[in-house]
Amino acid sequence: MSTLAGKETRALTVCVTIAVLIAVLAILGMTVGAVTLSISQVLDGIGGGKNAFIVMQYRAPRVAVSILAGASFGLAGVFLQGALRNPLASPDVVGITKCAGLGAFLAGMMAPPAWAIWAIPAGVVSGAILGAGLLLLIGRTFGGGIAALALVGVALGMLAQALIQYVMVIFPTRADQSMVWLAGSVYGSSMTGVLVLGLWLFACLPLVLFAAARLDASGFGDETLVSLGMPPARLRGGLIAVSVLLCAGAVASVGGMGFLGLLAPHAARLLVGPRARHLVPSSALMGALALSAADLAGRLIALPNEIPAGIVAAVIGGPYLIFLLIKETGRHE
């Protein structure tokens, strides 16, 4: 009993600590940059003072979108890993993020400008669903193992990126619109974007709670699930569907942000363990922390220029993925 209470206390402490770090990064994100502001100037800008444009039109939306999109990537990663029982099955590694970006890019290129606000989210969802379906279909053909899913996902991501570049060659005058999905960035976020993403995540909240309640069961084998009266295909398909919806919302806001869906669940699992009631909220918080930190670092490393947060995340996530591949290979030898 004391051990259980200790785990609960540890998980709560970890979540509170991460939340405090996110708050610190949010304050730094509002104050530092090409123009440094004090906290009093930020508060004055929030109240409509002379720095209102910098604070409310540039920095506040950026900070808010970083937190919301990062949390969404973290949740998408933990649900996808649980559904596939695969520690490498984050949306970016298995190609879903790139496919969602391809859908968004094609929708933005083909739809009239007046329809872009609706066409791009629809393209993101369509691309993410198509990517997830192809991943499962092709991966199952090759056995559905860790190596098969990882390689199929990398291939899908490369194919999606190649198609994006092909369309860029055909429509070079509109190629700049693709950069947000190629690199991943929160630059140019607006309060409208914050509201749309917030509403999307709020609409997904019942599904997130439903999936979190069944995440622990996904660790069992199919025969065990059948004996418990839980159809394996329905359970894993539901978790994947929730992951795709969360990933789609994040990609529509910040583009194809790499490795966040991989890093956040792994870091959370190391801190709080594998139980879903601890892992799900800590993964969301860790994703928000990672994207906030990546965006802040990208803004400050090369002042007055900026490095997209997706590039910063990839610099950290790439070596970590190699580490995980070596670890998993050693475990199965």
Side-chain angles (χ1 to χ4, degrees):
M1 194 70 178
S2 60
T3 302
L4 180 60
K7 291 182 178 179
E8 295 286 345
T9 302
R10 175 181 174 83
L12 179 60
T13 302
V14 167
C15 289
V16 170
T17 302
I18 298 174
V20 170
L21 292 175
I22 292 172
V24 171
L25 289 177
I27 294 173
L28 290 174
M30 297 284 283
T31 56
V32 301
V35 178
T36 301
L37 301 175
S38 65
I39 294 179
S40 61
Q41 289 175 316
V42 170
L43 294 175
D44 180 64
I46 294 175
K50 65 178 182 179
N51 296 306
F53 178 80
I54 296 177
V55 173
M56 298 304 296
Q57 300 299 321
Y58 178 68
R59 293 185 180 176
R62 191 166 185 163
V63 168
V65 166
S66 296
I67 294 172
L68 293 175
S72 187
F73 278 124
L75 289 172
V78 75
F79 289 140
L80 192 61
Q81 289 176 9
L84 302 181
R85 300 174 66 195
N86 188 333
L88 302 179
S90 68
D92 39 278
V93 175
V94 299
I96 295 176
T97 299
K98 282 292 185 183
C99 290
L102 173 63
F105 180 53
L106 291 177
M109 294 288 290
M110 297 178 180
W115 294 5
I117 190 172
W118 305 110
I120 290 177
V124 168
V125 174
S126 300
I129 292 174
L130 178 61
L134 289 174
L135 171 68
L136 293 177
L137 180 62
I138 301 175
R140 184 174 297 176
T141 303
F142 290 99
I146 289 177
L149 287 170
L151 291 174
V152 170
V154 169
L156 286 175
M158 293 177 64
L159 177 61
Q161 185 168 353
L163 290 174
I164 291 176
Q165 292 173 343
Y166 175 71
V167 176
M168 289 172 60
V169 172
I170 298 177
F171 302 101
T173 58
R174 302 179 65 182
D176 59 325
Q177 296 181 7
S178 70
M179 296 308 296
V180 67
W181 291 289
L182 292 177
S185 175
V186 296
Y187 179 80
S189 299
S190 65
M191 282 299 182
T192 301
V194 174
L195 179 61
V196 171
L197 180 57
L199 290 175
W200 178 265
L201 295 182
F202 182 77
C204 291
L205 182 59
L207 298 176
V208 170
L209 296 176
F210 182 84
R214 288 154 178 78
L215 183 60
D216 285 331
S218 67
F220 295 120
D222 289 354
E223 293 182 358
T224 303
L225 290 174
V226 171
S227 68
L228 294 173
M230 304 178 68
R234 185 178 301 175
L235 172 65
R236 304 192 192 285
L239 291 174
I240 292 173
V242 175
S243 176
V244 167
L245 291 175
L246 291 167
C247 178
V251 171
S253 297
V254 300
M257 198 72 65
F259 297 106
L260 288 181
L262 174 70
L263 290 172
H266 273 278
R269 196 174 286 111
L270 290 174
L271 292 172
V272 302
R275 291 191 62 189
R277 62 180 298 173
H278 304 150
L279 182 61
V280 171
S282 57
S283 294
L285 289 170
M286 189 61 69
L289 178 66
L291 183 50
S292 298
D295 179 53
L296 183 62
R299 287 168 55 187
L300 298 180
I301 288 175
L303 281 175
N305 299 315
E306 293 189 9
I307 300 175
I311 295 178
V312 178
V315 168
I316 300 172
Y320 190 69
L321 175 60
I322 295 174
F323 165 75
L324 289 178
L325 284 169
I326 296 173
K327 182 179 177 181
E328 290 300 319
T329 301
R331 180 182 298 176
H332 289 83
E333 285 181 352

